[in-house]
Amino acid sequence: MHKLYEHITTIDEDDFKRMFDSNEKCLEFIIAYLHDGEVRSPFCPGSKVYPMKEFGRYKCAKTKKSFYITKNTIFYKSHIPLYKWFSILYLFATSRDKFTPALLMRTYPETIRTMKTAIYVAKRLAMACQTPAKAKFSNSQVDETPVGGHQPLRSYPDKCPQKIYKGTDKRNVLCIAEEDNGWVDFTCVNDSSEDLPKRVRERVSPGATVTTDETSLFRPIKGEYDHRSCNHGRHLFINDGDHTNAVENRNSQFKRSMDGSSHNNIRFEHMGRYCALHSFLGSFNRLGGFALFKVLLYNCFQRMTFHPLSSYKLPKDKRGYSPTRRKKDGTPALKPGPLPQIPRHRDPEAYARFAKKAKDEILWEKARKWYEKRNSKAS
């Protein structure tokens, strides 16, 4: 995987604002360092290419077809100027604060004026943080862990009993951690028996050493890789020097980063975005500043499709009903996402029902004791 980013480290660092203060300078930088100084036609490689009046658009001299240089990137057909996109990428690479849509609105009030635009930018950044398809890991450790769902109750113990939180809405996440260079890749898993071997084949080079736990889900890859395992069920965490400590540490870091006041309830459709962000930040945690910006810019120009990063859907019996969408017969339609996750101490109606039920049970218990006591005295 190092070969993908060898040419990036040779770029000289300069003052960022002076280098990228216009769209033309940003385009020149893209052509010079990501296209080897020459724009090539995707229709005919040997044909000449000349720019058109529209910014970032070129035309092939032989086929007479036009194309955008930013196609299949996060900049394609965006109303945000290219130099603003570069500034947002640099903010993402250098900011130590939590990168949220609210931070984007505070930093760029003239460009990002609404929360809808801020969420749009955050989603496209998550697309750019995906691990390139060309990246292949060497000797790796692999493990699967459930992430998300309702967190344990931290407040209002008298208003909201612990039995409400069952943890049935968690999402399985597969983590692949490379042993040599520290690369990491997080992926959402829908069907463990099919997705786990498939993802290992896509990410790990053939013939490499793959270390897992004692689960039988990795049996299909035994003939293709040097598969080694540690039986955690018998408390054997090291097997002839092989262990899964690296991937376990990555999983614990991922879970702790998800823990917090704003991540109590992680929705299923957003888990893929979190996986992409933590894959990028976990792989390049030693870089910072302009070097991390250049790596992120390189990832933006890898071929990508803007499909949902998390394509999982809950079964119909676990979905909520939409108040606006209706079927032909007039009945409410099912939402595509999960049930609304609202704790009872934040839902006044649910708390009122719970309090009334508890009050009735207390009054009934008092009445029963009084009746038993009265009958015993009478006898």
Side-chain angles (χ1 to χ4, degrees), residues 210-228:
V210 177
T211 308
T212 64
D213 52 11
E214 72 280 4
T215 180
S216 60
L217 298 174
F218 297 99
R219 287 181 180 176
I221 66 172
K222 281 189 175 181
E224 307 172 24
Y225 299 92
D226 182 11
H227 183 229
R228 305 176 185 180

Side-chain angles (χ1 to χ4, degrees), residues 185-243:
D185 180 71
F186 292 98
T187 314
C188 293
V189 177
N190 296 334
D191 187 0
S192 300
S193 59
E194 296 181 2
D195 293 349
L196 263 62
K198 179 181 177 181
R199 188 62 181 175
V200 171
R201 294 188 184 100
E202 292 176 355
R203 187 58 60 211
V204 184
S205 302
T209 301
V210 177
T211 308
T212 64
D213 52 11
E214 72 280 4
T215 180
S216 60
L217 298 174
F218 297 99
R219 287 181 180 176
I221 66 172
K222 281 189 175 181
E224 307 172 24
Y225 299 92
D226 182 11
H227 183 229
R228 305 176 185 180
S229 61
C230 303
N231 197 332
H232 293 173
R234 296 184 178 181
H235 302 282
L236 300 176
F237 301 101
I238 299 179
N239 183 15
D240 294 336
D242 301 321
H243 58 82

Side-chain angles (χ1 to χ4, degrees), residues 163-176:
K163 63 181 180 180
I164 294 176
Y165 297 88
K166 297 182 180 180
T168 57
D169 53 350
K170 291 182 179 291
R171 184 74 191 276
N172 290 335
V173 173
L174 176 67
C175 178
I176 303 177

